[in-house]
């Protein structure tokens, strides 16, 4: 009996050993193979240097005009009341000869800008309030610049990856990224609480997704959809960015496969344009 039981156990163990190993969970996006581990470490060093330069050159007045105040006040009102709008008590204030908000014929006051950037600011407000409580008002004002700093650093990384996908090589991909971060008009925006850094990030991300969709054929649907979402949220930040939609939609249509060009072009353009149309 003992020999029979041991034989059955050994048989079961042998059967289990022959079973296929469990499948790995599929990745949402493929690994970025255009850069090796050394290149990625160098990118982190570059981003740390850029953020350090930005922090050392902060403006002492992150809120500079009525537009900044309007978006920040809308974010504060969202956190406090759940209403994404400038409160009536301040929306009718006149600052520098301009009204804080716009007044409809019905008498209702509404903000002049879409809700995209106030939603981003609302994520930072708890940290801003903590900094104000612990370190004072100046620290909270400096913290208001961090959304811009993070957006510009992320845009630098996106441009670096795009340069690698375009074939510039690891030795040359740094230059367009560094040129954007410290050699363009992007630098002054690091110390001001404006929405332009996030506009640049989302437009760059939209272009990058179209580029990746052409090179990563197995993941083209995800890349095209992500690119459309980036463009859609950019429009939620600045409505006039809708002017870029036609050229980017054409770019999505241009990454078709040779086997079914008409169907693929239509499908990719529609998939890319859907988030922008919803925005």
């Amino acid at each position: 009996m003992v020999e029979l039981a041991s034989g059955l156990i050994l048989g079961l163990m042998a059967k289990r050993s022959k079973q296929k190993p469990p499948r790995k969970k599929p990745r949402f996006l493929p690994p970025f193979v255009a850069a090796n581990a050394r290149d990625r470490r160098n990118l982190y060093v570059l981003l740390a240097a850029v953020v350090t330069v930005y922090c050392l050159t902060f403006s002492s007045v992150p809120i500079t005009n009525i537009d900044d105040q309007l978006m920040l006040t809308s974010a504060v009102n969202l956190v406090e009341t759940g209403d994404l709008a400038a409160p009536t008590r301040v929306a009718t204030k006149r600052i520098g000869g301009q009204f804080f908000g716009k007044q409809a014929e019905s008498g209702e006051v509404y903000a002049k800008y879409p809700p995209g950037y106030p939603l981003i600011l609302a994520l930072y407000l708890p940290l801003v309030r903590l900094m104000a409580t612990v370190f004072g008002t100046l620290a909270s004002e400096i913290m208001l610049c961090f959304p811009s700093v993070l957006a510009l650093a992320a845009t630098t990384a996106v441009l670096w990856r795009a340069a690698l996908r375009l074939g510039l090589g690891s030795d040359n991909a740094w230059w367009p990224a560094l040129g954007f971060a410290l050699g363009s008009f992007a630098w002054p925006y690091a110390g001001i609480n404006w929405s332009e850094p996030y506009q640049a990030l989302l437009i760059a991300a939209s272009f990058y997704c179209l580029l990746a969709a052409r090179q990563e054929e197995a993941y083209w649907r995800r890349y095209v959809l992500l690119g459309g979402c980036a463009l859609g949220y950019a429009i939620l930040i600045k409505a006039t960015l809708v002017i870029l939609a036609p050229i980017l939609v054409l770019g999505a249509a241009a990454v078709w496969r040779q086997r079914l060009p008409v169907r693929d072009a239509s499908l990719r353009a529609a998939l890319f344009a859907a988030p922008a149309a919803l925005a």
Side-chain angles (χ1 to χ4, degrees), residues 201-211 226-228 230-231 248 272:
L201 170 61
L202 292 167
I203 294 301
S206 183
F207 169 77
Y208 174 81
C209 286
L210 293 182
L211 185 63
L226 286 174
L231 176 61
L248 289 173
F272 182 87

Side-chain angles (χ1 to χ4, degrees), residues 70-87 89 115-123 125 129 233:
L70 177 61
M71 288 183 282
L72 179 59
T73 304
S74 298
V76 172
N77 196 49
L78 172 65
V79 173
E80 293 181 347
T81 68
D83 187 13
L84 187 60
R89 66 180 185 274
Y117 194 55
L119 287 173
I120 294 174
L121 288 179
L123 300 176
L125 287 180
R129 289 180 173 176
Y233 202 85

Side-chain angles (χ1 to χ4, degrees), residues 56-113:
L56 292 175
T57 57
F58 269 163
S59 169
S60 60
V61 186
I63 304 297
T64 59
N65 60 22
I66 190 173
D67 296 337
D68 304 348
Q69 296 179 42
L70 177 61
M71 288 183 282
L72 179 59
T73 304
S74 298
V76 172
N77 196 49
L78 172 65
V79 173
E80 293 181 347
T81 68
D83 187 13
L84 187 60
T88 305
R89 66 180 185 274
V90 297
T92 54
K93 289 174 61 178
R94 185 181 290 271
I95 302 176
Q98 299 181 12
F99 280 112
F100 204 78
K102 296 288 188 180
Q103 191 166 11
E105 294 181 357
S106 62
E108 184 180 4
V109 176
Y110 61 94
K112 297 188 297 182
Y113 291 95

